[in-house]
């Protein structure tokens, strides 16, 4: 694995993950992972038992897959979240390989039958070209016939439900106020979260790129994936105006099943579009 020195961005602040952990990873959300991973397996039909959970966070999906008999590698750049994952893995009595690494750097050629990226963990970087780098790493890490699944909040859904300010309260009385703003020609969303606890306020700001179904499909195909399909949820419903999530699944060609699948597309790169993306200055 390569390691590149980069300037710090918002996700490098471990205080962000510590303070927002109870809000992002509630007990209910963690408990839902078992059922979600059963649906992921049914949708993707992995090419073998080796799975990469890229941006695994506290390991909820990694552990759920390991309980189903998969050999899981969970990768995350944040030590705080990986420590949570290790503790949860031990408590669950499962074996998972936990790796601290950046998703822009982690590559293990031909090692996995399935790569997953869950819970809108795609699009963090100021330089949009780095999202394509991540997809290329995913593609390289898959064995022939393997599948990649990315789960995010799609731009179409966001445009329908976005509110400038929302708030919620945790069981311990902590109040989380969220402020949202679209910028950069509707390609990125800026977020400011205020944590009100015991009379004190802590503020965290972060931002990420938002993708429509077609934009995410284009980038997957640019990275080499074929038979790219979009779904509105993990049940496999179609991606449409009422879809709550954007699920994109692409495959790495090389299996007879893909070669015979009439839905599989030839790998074609539109250099007029993605060449410009590659050459463009950081967002």
């Amino acid at each position: 694995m390569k390691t590149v020195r980069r300037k710090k961005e918002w996700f490098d602040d471990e205080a962000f993950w510590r303070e927002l952990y109870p809000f992002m990873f509630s007990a209910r959300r963690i408990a839902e992972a078992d059922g979600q991973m059963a649906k992921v397996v049914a949708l993707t039909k992995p090419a073998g038992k080796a799975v990469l959970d890229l941006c695994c966070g506290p390991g909820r999906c990694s552990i759920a897959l390991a309980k189903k008999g998969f050999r899981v590698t969970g990768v995350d750049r944040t030590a705080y979240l990986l420590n949570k994952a290790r503790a949860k893995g031990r408590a669950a009595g499962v074996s998972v390989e936990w790796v601290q690494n950046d998703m822009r750097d982690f590559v293990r050629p031909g090692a996995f039958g399935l790569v997953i990226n869950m819970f809108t963990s795609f699009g963090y970087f100021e330089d949009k070209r780095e999202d394509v780098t991540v997809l290329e790493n995913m593609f390289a890490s898959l064995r022939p016939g393997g599948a990649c699944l990315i789960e995010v909040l799609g731009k179409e859904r966001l445009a329908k439900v976005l509110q400038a300010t929302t708030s919620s309260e945790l069981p311990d009385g902590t109040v989380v106020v969220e402020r949202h703003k679209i910028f950069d020609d509707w390609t990125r969303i800026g977020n400011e979260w205020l944590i009100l606890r015991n009379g004190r306020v802590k503020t965290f700001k972060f931002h990420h790129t938002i993708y429509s179904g077609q934009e995410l499909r284009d980038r997957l195909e640019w990275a080499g994936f074929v038979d790219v399909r979009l779904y509105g949820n993990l049940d496999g419903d179609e991606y449409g105006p009422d879809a709550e999530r954007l699920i994109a699944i692409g495959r790495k060609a090389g299996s007879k099943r893909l070669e015979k699948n009439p839905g599989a597309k030839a790998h074609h790169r539109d250099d007029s579009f993605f060449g410009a993306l590659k050459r463009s200055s950081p967002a």
Side-chain angles (χ1 to χ4, degrees):
M1 292 178 292
K2 58 186 177 180
T3 300
V4 178
R5 295 181 66 87
R6 302 181 176 92
K7 71 173 184 177
K8 288 190 175 182
E9 298 191 49
W10 64 265
F11 44 80
D12 292 305
D13 181 8
E14 291 216 358
F16 173 89
W17 302 106
R18 287 196 303 271
E19 293 293 335
L20 295 178
Y21 182 88
F23 178 73
M24 290 182 171
F25 302 105
S26 65
R28 188 182 78 170
R29 178 162 284 150
I30 291 174
E32 289 172 345
D34 286 340
Q36 289 174 345
M37 290 305 99
K39 294 177 180 180
V40 164
V41 171
L43 265 183
T44 59
K45 299 176 175 56
K49 288 292 187 178
V51 178
L52 169 61
D53 183 3
L54 195 59
C55 300
C56 65
R60 63 189 192 99
C61 297
S62 295
I63 292 166
L65 287 166
K67 289 193 293 188
K68 296 181 184 301
F70 288 91
R71 300 187 305 276
V72 184
T73 298
V75 175
D76 204 283
R77 64 175 289 119
T78 305
Y80 174 79
L81 294 178
L82 280 177
N83 287 337
K84 289 280 191 181
R86 291 186 182 98
K88 291 181 182 298
R90 287 192 296 268
V94 297
S95 177
V96 175
E97 178 191 15
W98 304 111
V99 178
Q100 186 175 2
N101 202 226
D102 193 296
M103 68 194 300
R104 293 166 288 185
D105 299 331
F106 184 86
V107 181
R108 194 173 288 177
F112 303 102
L114 173 64
V115 176
I116 63 171
N117 181 257
M118 303 290 293
F119 196 37
T120 311
S121 298
F122 185 78
Y124 280 7
F125 312 116
E126 290 184 15
D127 185 347
K128 298 183 184 73
R129 296 171 297 182
E130 293 183 316
D131 291 345
V132 178
T133 298
V134 171
L135 294 176
E136 291 172 338
N137 290 345
M138 292 177 173
F139 183 81
S141 295
L142 281 173
R143 63 186 54 166
C148 164
L149 182 147
I150 297 174
E151 182 255 345
V152 297
L153 176 62
K155 184 183 293 187
E156 296 91 341
R157 176 66 177 177
L158 187 63
K160 189 174 183 179
V161 304
L162 180 67
Q163 299 181 51
T165 303
T166 60
S167 64
S168 58
E169 185 173 351
L170 300 180
D172 67 357
T174 299
V175 175
V176 181
V177 177
E178 302 178 41
R179 296 172 176 167
H180 311 288
K181 184 179 181 180
I182 299 296
F183 65 102
D184 197 9
D185 297 327
W186 254 98
T187 65
R188 293 182 69 77
I189 182 169
N191 307 282
E192 181 181 34
W193 287 13
L194 292 81
I195 314 300
L196 290 73
R197 181 187 295 124
N198 299 325
R200 293 188 172 187
V201 179
K202 291 185 178 181
T203 301
F204 297 93
K205 295 182 179 181
F206 62 103
H207 49 85
H208 59 88
T209 302
I210 49 179
Y211 288 104
S212 68
Q214 186 61 51
E215 288 166 343
L216 189 52
R217 178 197 295 276
D218 286 343
R219 283 153 179 78
L220 281 160
E221 291 180 346
W222 164 261
F225 290 97
V226 299
D227 197 22
V228 177
R229 304 188 182 192
L230 305 180
Y231 300 98
N233 53 41
L234 291 174
D235 292 317
D237 293 334
E238 67 176 353
Y239 188 66
D242 297 322
E244 294 189 357
R245 304 296 289 178
L246 168 55
I247 313 294
I249 299 176
R251 295 190 178 274
K252 187 171 185 176
S255 71
K256 291 182 179 179
R257 176 170 59 88
L258 278 179
E259 291 168 1
K260 293 180 179 179
N261 187 342
K265 297 181 180 179
H267 178 199
H268 170 69
R269 294 188 172 188
D270 180 357
D271 289 331
S272 63
F273 176 76
F274 284 103
L277 177 66
K278 284 285 192 177
R279 293 189 300 272
S280 65
S281 60

mmCIF file of all heavy atoms in Angstrom, residues 56 65 94 159 163 244:
data_model
loop_
_atom_site.group_PDB
_atom_site.id
_atom_site.type_symbol
_atom_site.label_atom_id
_atom_site.label_comp_id
_atom_site.label_asym_id
_atom_site.label_seq_id
_atom_site.Cartn_x
_atom_site.Cartn_y
_atom_site.Cartn_z
ATOM 1 N N CYS A 56 -14.765 1.673 6.829
ATOM 2 C CA CYS A 56 -15.574 0.770 7.662
ATOM 3 C C CYS A 56 -16.077 1.428 8.930
ATOM 4 O O CYS A 56 -16.974 0.892 9.585
ATOM 5 C CB CYS A 56 -14.768 -0.478 8.010
ATOM 6 S SG CYS A 56 -13.323 -0.156 9.063
ATOM 7 N N LEU A 65 -20.859 -8.934 8.207
ATOM 8 C CA LEU A 65 -20.414 -9.837 7.136
ATOM 9 C C LEU A 65 -19.577 -10.976 7.684
ATOM 10 O O LEU A 65 -19.692 -12.126 7.235
ATOM 11 C CB LEU A 65 -19.631 -9.053 6.093
ATOM 12 C CG LEU A 65 -20.465 -8.139 5.184
ATOM 13 C CD1 LEU A 65 -19.568 -7.162 4.440
ATOM 14 C CD2 LEU A 65 -21.288 -8.968 4.192
ATOM 15 N N VAL A 94 -15.836 -12.323 16.385
ATOM 16 C CA VAL A 94 -15.497 -12.549 14.979
ATOM 17 C C VAL A 94 -14.088 -12.038 14.691
ATOM 18 O O VAL A 94 -13.559 -11.185 15.403
ATOM 19 C CB VAL A 94 -16.500 -11.856 14.025
ATOM 20 C CG1 VAL A 94 -17.892 -12.443 14.192
ATOM 21 C CG2 VAL A 94 -16.515 -10.356 14.243
ATOM 22 N N ALA A 159 -32.073 17.159 -3.410
ATOM 23 C CA ALA A 159 -32.772 18.319 -3.954
ATOM 24 C C ALA A 159 -34.236 18.354 -3.513
ATOM 25 O O ALA A 159 -34.840 19.425 -3.395
ATOM 26 C CB ALA A 159 -32.696 18.303 -5.478
ATOM 27 N N GLN A 163 -33.274 20.855 3.692
ATOM 28 C CA GLN A 163 -33.709 21.997 4.486
ATOM 29 C C GLN A 163 -32.471 22.733 4.979
ATOM 30 O O GLN A 163 -31.456 22.115 5.304
ATOM 31 C CB GLN A 163 -34.548 21.550 5.684
ATOM 32 C CG GLN A 163 -35.825 20.818 5.311
ATOM 33 C CD GLN A 163 -36.620 20.423 6.532
ATOM 34 O OE1 GLN A 163 -36.903 21.241 7.403
ATOM 35 N NE2 GLN A 163 -36.989 19.152 6.611
ATOM 36 N N GLU A 244 -34.962 6.778 -1.571
ATOM 37 C CA GLU A 244 -34.372 7.414 -0.392
ATOM 38 C C GLU A 244 -32.853 7.355 -0.411
ATOM 39 O O GLU A 244 -32.181 8.200 0.191
ATOM 40 C CB GLU A 244 -34.919 6.762 0.878
ATOM 41 C CG GLU A 244 -36.413 7.003 1.089
ATOM 42 C CD GLU A 244 -36.901 6.545 2.439
ATOM 43 O OE1 GLU A 244 -36.077 5.985 3.208
ATOM 44 O OE2 GLU A 244 -38.087 6.761 2.734
#
